[in-house]
Amino acid sequence: MGSSRSNILCFLVLCACFLVPKSCHSYSHGALFIFGDSFYDAGNNIYLNTNIPKLNIFPYGETYFKHPTGRASDGRLIPDFIAEFAKLPLIPLYLQPGNHQFTNGMNFASGGAGALAGTNQGLVLDLQTQSSNFKNTEKQIRQKLGASEVKALLSTAVYMFSIGSNDYLIPFITNSTVFQSYSKKEYVKMVIGNITSVIQEIYSMGGRKFGLSKLLPLGCPPISRALNIVSSGGSGCMEEITVLAKLHNRALPKALKELKSQLRGYTYSIFDAYTVADAIFNNPSKYGEDSNLFRRGEKGMLRQWSFERYHYLRPESIRIVR
Ligand SMILES: *[C@@H]1O[C@H](CO)[C@@H](O)[C@H](O)[C@H]1NC(C)=O
Ligand SMILES: *[C@@H]1O[C@H](CO)[C@@H](O)[C@H](O)[C@H]1NC(C)=O
């Protein structure tokens, strides 16, 4: 069990090492800019004046922070662990009021967000909006530090993304007709296109090091299992959604690799969350998880799902093993 967990962490650490060329261990200066959805949102959504469920309620946050923080986890999220590894404090939230310390980076992520503006439109900060917010932040840093300093800061920073899951899940949850207008392939192409265009924007502002993640088997978390029951009376994973995740996971590395030929000095790393999550979904107890938690959807807890203690995975259960 311990070794499986350290394998997961090893992935993340490798990812961070790769992106931080100097030396894995002496790395103590640099910034982390975080984009994406509920895997990475450390609380931005609680400042949104929209109807998106706010996660600053118990039992979220109960194990590590001892109070709910707006994270979709009982503890910390992957970027929190990466920040710790890079000897950075917890990264500030873009929407949190007050004076920010910019030089460690910023978290722009918004739970429920997708790469497409139409995903949870009007409820969350989609990826393009997160990119605009990054531009605002860049301006503010430039005013404080000057043009050459900001360039150095942005070019040594790491840009982490967790995006796409909602683009594929939300159409099923909202019973949208989008897949009547687009083939699966066309839809995936649109999602990937919107991700790479944000990477290009950040690159043009000076960003060089990008970290992305493949998607989980999206048909297998509780909400998809619940949908399976509601929509077709089926049971188990909803394969239709996993098929989209698989298409996305094949297209993403190709798209990121293609950018390499266009953008000088650009570098990236992809975390294979699919393989890791698939192993956990298939054998939860091996990873210290209660298998019933992953099967809850089968009990029809669709409405309550967003308030479930265990969102998808509990990153808190991934511990640093030295
Ligand atoms: C979804 O929409 C279709 C029509 O587009 C309808 O027949 C079906 O009952 C709806 N399903 C749910 C679960 O609301
Ligand atoms: C981004 O998504 C929109 C739909 O929200 C689509 O019309 C557009 O073509 C996509 N952009 C790229 C570069 O794929």
Side-chain angles (χ1 to χ4, degrees):
M1 183 204 295
S3 83
S4 314
R5 285 184 182 169
S6 38
N7 279 346
I8 294 171
L9 196 83
C10 195
F11 262 125
L12 301 175
V13 167
L14 279 176
C15 173
C17 288
F18 177 74
L19 293 166
V20 179
K22 292 174 189 170
S23 149
C24 231
H25 292 287
S26 70
Y27 184 65
S28 61
H29 190 74
L32 197 53
F33 292 100
I34 300 158
F35 300 83
D37 51 31
S38 57
F39 282 116
Y40 286 6
D41 180 359
N44 279 314
N45 274 14
I46 62 184
Y47 301 103
L48 284 177
N49 190 16
T50 69
N51 267 335
I52 194 80
K54 306 291 188 278
L55 306 186
N56 54 341
I57 49 162
F58 274 111
Y60 289 111
E62 67 179 352
T63 63
Y64 181 78
F65 297 99
K66 310 296 178 202
H67 63 94
T69 61
R71 286 169 175 78
S73 170
D74 67 333
R76 285 171 287 174
L77 303 176
I78 287 170
D80 299 321
F81 287 96
I82 300 275
E84 182 185 355
F85 174 77
K87 298 192 171 66
L88 294 169
L90 290 173
I91 305 301
L93 297 167
Y94 179 75
L95 289 185
Q96 189 163 22
N99 281 331
H100 287 307
Q101 153 78 347
F102 298 111
T103 51
N104 294 323
M106 189 70 75
N107 185 330
F108 301 96
S110 170
L116 303 180
T119 297
N120 279 327
Q121 191 153 29
L123 294 174
V124 299
L125 307 174
D126 64 83
L127 188 60
Q128 191 55 57
T129 306
Q130 294 179 29
S131 175
S132 311
N133 291 341
F134 172 68
K135 268 173 220 156
N136 285 337
T137 298
E138 190 266 352
K139 245 183 249 157
Q140 285 172 287
I141 307 176
R142 185 144 34 100
Q143 278 162 10
K144 272 201 170 158
L145 302 181
S148 69
E149 278 288 306
V150 75
K151 200 155 181 241
L153 186 111
L154 297 191
S155 67
T156 53
V158 169
Y159 301 81
M160 287 182 73
F161 295 78
S162 164
I163 198 80
S165 303
N166 292 306
D167 296 301
Y168 303 114
L169 276 169
I170 297 299
F172 291 91
I173 294 170
T174 59
N175 199 21
S176 119
T177 56
V178 71
F179 290 110
Q180 287 165 23
S181 322
Y182 297 99
S183 73
K184 287 187 163 70
K185 273 206 162 146
E186 286 166 344
Y187 190 81
V188 169
K189 198 173 166 199
M190 225 157 57
V191 172
I192 299 278
N194 277 267
I195 295 173
T196 51
S197 68
V198 164
I199 291 177
Q200 281 168 302
E201 277 170 34
I202 294 173
Y203 176 90
S204 71
M205 292 164 67
R208 292 296 177 267
K209 305 172 186 175
F210 299 87
L212 287 93
S213 175
K214 288 190 182 177
L215 305 181
L216 311 190
L218 292 175
C220 294
I223 192 163
S224 307
R225 292 168 185 270
L227 271 172
N228 204 6
I229 299 168
V230 174
S231 61
S232 68
S235 69
C237 299
M238 192 156 165
E239 279 311 313
E240 221 182 328
I241 313 183
T242 297
V243 164
L244 285 160
K246 283 182 175 166
L247 284 174
H248 179 96
N249 289 347
R250 270 206 293 277
L252 183 71
K254 281 186 200 153
L256 295 182
K257 193 173 173 193
E258 203 171 297
L259 286 179
K260 205 152 174 85
S261 58
Q262 299 165 26
L263 313 175
R264 248 181 100 101
Y266 145 97
T267 175
Y268 69 95
S269 174
I270 304 176
F271 171 52
D272 185 6
Y274 187 97
T275 303
V276 171
D278 200 42
I280 299 174
F281 285 144
N282 287 329
N283 198 351
S285 56
K286 185 179 163 195
Y287 298 89
E289 294 292 347
D290 176 352
S291 38
N292 288 326
L293 290 167
F294 290 102
R295 305 260 143 79
R296 284 249 170 105
E298 288 173 354
K299 294 180 187 156
M301 294 180 68
L302 181 57
R303 193 180 62 79
Q304 291 100 322
W305 175 79
S306 51
F307 297 101
E308 276 286 341
R309 171 177 177 179
Y310 300 91
H311 199 64
Y312 277 87
L313 298 170
R314 278 189 309 160
E316 190 60 32
S317 71
I318 304 169
R319 300 200 189 284
I320 296 181
V321 182
R322 291 183 200 278

